[in-house]
Amino acid sequence: MAATTLHLRSECKPMEHRSALTPRTTKQLLEAGYRVNVERSPERIFADSEFEAVGATLVPEGSWPSAPADHLIIGLKELPEEDFPLHHTHIQFAHCYKGQSNWEDVLSRFPSGSGTLYDLEFLNDENGRRVAAFGYHAGYAGAALAVMVWAWQLDPATKGKPFPSVDYYQNEADLVTKVKGALEEGMKYSPSVPQVMVMGALGRCGSGALGLCKAIGLPESSMVKWDLAETSQRPGPYEEIVESDIFVNCIYLSKPIPPFVSLETLSSPKRKLSVVCDVSCDTTNPHNPIPIYDICTTFEKPTVPVKVERDPPLSVISIDHLPSLLPREASQDFSDALLPSLLKLNNRKQERVWQQAEDLFREKVAGLSAKWRQGQAFLGGAAVPTGRP
C-alpha cells in the first residue's frame, strides 16, 4: 500500500496561530510510515524549521488546492469563502453541520468536486465523546478575557471605551500574570471579587474556565458552577446569570433549548452582569441560547456592547477561536489527542472513527436543498459532479 500523505495547510483566519499538527505529532506520523507535507506559514506558532527538523517536507503557503488528489488536507479553521469545488479529502472544523449561516454554501463545495469532509468536531470515540477538542483552552482563554473586560469597564479612565485588541500569549503563565494584574486593578473599584458563573461547568470547556479562575486566585465561593443538573430543574432564562458579574457559556448546543438570558431579564434591578463570554459562540445558530447579540467578535475587536438601561455597562465576547490566545499549548494538547486517530488513516474505510465521520458527511450532503443538489448525481454514496453549484 502506498504511503498516505498528509498536507498541513497554513491557516488563513486572522490571529489564528494554532496548528492541527505539531512537530512532535508530525515526527510520530513520519515514524509510522506516513508522509507529511507542511505549508510554510508566517503565522503558525511553530516555526517552519521545527517541522523540517523532524523530517517533514516544506511546501509553499496556500499550495493545497494544487496538491495531488489523493493527499489528505488537514487544517483547523474553515476555508476562505470561495466557490470553487473541493477535490480533496479535508480534515478540519467546517462549521456547517448545525444550520449555521451559509452552511449550504460551505458544504456543497465538497460534493461539487467529489471531495470529502471529515469534520474534526464530529470525530467521536466509541462512547460518543470527541477524540480531540480545544475545549479546555477555549474556556481558559474566554474566562481570562472576561475578567480583563470586567476590570476595564470598572476603571473610570476606560469605562465606556471599547476594550482594545489582544494578541496571543506564549504560555499560560504569561496570560495568568496579565489577568492577575487586571483583577488587581479592577478590585480598586469593586467592593468584592467578581462572581463568575460558568454554564457547562463539568465539561472540558467549563473546566478550563474554572481553571483560569483558580489560577488567578478567585475563591471557590465566587464561582457559580452550573451544568445539566441545574438547568434541568427549570427552563431559562435564569436570574442567577444576571445576578453574577461575569457569565461564561461553555455548553455544547446540540438541540433547541430555552434561552439562558434575554433582553428582558437584563432589565432586572438586581443585574450585576457586565460581561458575557459566549465561548460556545453559536452566534448564527437559530437556537442560540444567548440572544442578546448577533455578531461574532474578534481579537482585534474583542467585545460588542449590549444596550442596557442602566449601569453596569454590558459587553459580550464571542470570539470563535479563543484557544488561539494560547496557541502553543492548545495545539500540543489537541494534536496529541488527535494523533491515535490520525494513525488509523491508512485504514480509514474500515476504522470506525473515520467511517462514522464519512457517514455523517454523506448524511449532511443528502440534506442539501434541491438548489444545491441540482446538476449532481450521487452514485453509491459518492458525488459525481456535472456542474458547479
Side-chain angles (χ1 to χ4, degrees):
M1 177 186 296
T4 298
T5 300
L6 284 165
H7 182 116
L8 177 65
R9 59 178 173 82
S10 176
E11 300 294 329
C12 57
K13 192 179 184 76
M15 186 64 186
E16 183 54 84
H17 304 291
R18 293 174 297 167
S19 178
L21 299 181
T22 66
R24 182 168 62 206
T25 53
T26 295
K27 184 174 185 291
Q28 290 172 281
L29 285 163
L30 290 166
E31 290 173 346
Y34 288 80
R35 292 175 180 163
V36 182
N37 294 337
V38 176
E39 290 188 7
R40 296 180 183 275
S41 172
E43 299 296 330
R44 192 184 293 124
I45 189 64
F46 305 101
D48 296 342
S49 58
E50 294 182 69
F51 287 98
E52 192 172 34
V54 299
T57 300
L58 297 183
V59 296
E61 180 182 8
S63 60
W64 65 265
S66 60
D70 61 343
H71 289 196
L72 308 182
I73 312 301
I74 185 169
L76 286 179
K77 298 303 290 183
E78 62 272 19
L79 296 169
E81 293 185 6
E82 305 279 359
D83 62 1
F84 63 85
L86 297 172
H87 305 291
H88 297 89
T89 292
H90 288 258
I91 304 169
Q92 65 178 68
F93 291 100
H95 305 296
C96 62
Y97 281 2
K98 297 191 293 183
Q100 294 96 327
S101 177
N102 299 324
W103 71 273
E104 288 192 312
D105 295 334
V106 175
L107 182 58
S108 63
R109 294 178 65 193
F110 294 93
S112 177
S114 296
T116 300
L117 170 64
Y118 292 135
D119 197 308
L120 289 167
E121 184 177 351
F122 300 93
L123 292 185
N124 297 323
D125 64 18
E126 58 275 9
N127 298 313
R129 185 175 172 82
R130 287 169 62 177
V131 300
F134 283 103
Y136 183 86
H137 285 96
Y140 199 97
L145 285 180
V147 173
M148 288 192 281
V149 172
W150 171 82
W152 174 271
Q153 294 182 159
L154 285 172
D155 189 337
T158 54
K159 183 178 179 180
K161 297 180 180 179
F163 188 74
S165 63
V166 294
D167 204 349
Y168 71 93
Y169 291 81
Q170 286 292 337
N171 52 59
E172 287 181 10
D174 287 352
L175 177 59
V176 167
T177 298
K178 179 71 173 181
V179 182
K180 280 184 173 180
L183 178 63
E184 184 177 337
E185 286 298 308
M187 290 302 300
K188 294 177 181 178
Y189 312 103
S190 176
S192 60
V193 297
Q195 178 169 292
V196 181
M197 182 170 182
V198 178
M199 187 71 79
L202 298 181
R204 289 165 167 155
C205 183
S207 297
L210 295 171
L212 181 282
C213 292
K214 295 171 185 175
I216 63 173
L218 290 181
E220 284 285 337
S221 58
S222 71
M223 304 177 211
V224 181
K225 308 170 188 178
W226 274 37
D227 212 281
L228 289 174
E230 289 75 19
T231 57
S232 63
Q233 293 179 11
R234 68 182 195 276
Y238 302 106
E239 63 269 19
E240 289 87 347
I241 293 176
V242 298
E243 293 172 11
S244 297
D245 297 284
I246 296 170
F247 174 54
V248 185
N249 179 39
C250 296
I251 71 159
Y252 181 79
L253 185 65
S254 59
K255 60 182 180 180
I257 59 174
F260 293 150
V261 64
S262 67
L263 292 172
E264 290 74 22
T265 59
L266 295 179
S267 63
S268 168
K270 295 182 179 180
R271 180 178 69 85
K272 295 169 55 184
L273 185 67
S274 64
V275 183
V276 172
C277 183
D278 189 4
V279 182
S280 302
C281 209
D282 288 301
T283 313
T284 65
N285 191 307
H287 307 299
N288 179 13
I290 308 178
I292 61 174
Y293 76 103
D294 58 6
I295 63 169
C296 285
T297 62
T298 64
F299 285 111
E300 184 179 358
K301 295 180 179 179
T303 62
V304 58
V306 178
K307 187 176 181 180
V308 289
E309 297 175 355
R310 59 173 183 82
D311 279 347
L314 175 60
S315 295
V316 173
I317 301 165
S318 57
I319 300 171
D320 67 1
H321 57 139
L322 281 166
S324 284
L325 205 63
L326 291 168
R328 182 172 291 272
E329 288 148 318
S331 297
Q332 288 170 337
D333 286 356
F334 179 87
S335 195
D336 285 349
L338 183 61
L339 180 64
S341 297
L342 294 178
L343 290 170
K344 298 176 181 178
L345 279 169
N346 274 334
N347 300 309
R348 58 187 177 279
K349 295 299 182 182
Q350 289 75 44
E351 291 290 346
R352 181 201 52 77
V353 65
W354 297 108
Q355 191 55 60
Q356 285 186 353
E358 184 165 345
D359 289 346
L360 180 60
F361 166 69
R362 300 298 176 194
E363 174 188 324
K364 296 298 182 179
V365 165
L368 287 168
S369 66
K371 170 187 174 183
W372 298 111
R373 287 187 284 109
Q374 185 177 10
Q376 297 182 17
F378 293 86
L379 302 175
V384 181
T386 59
R388 294 177 65 166

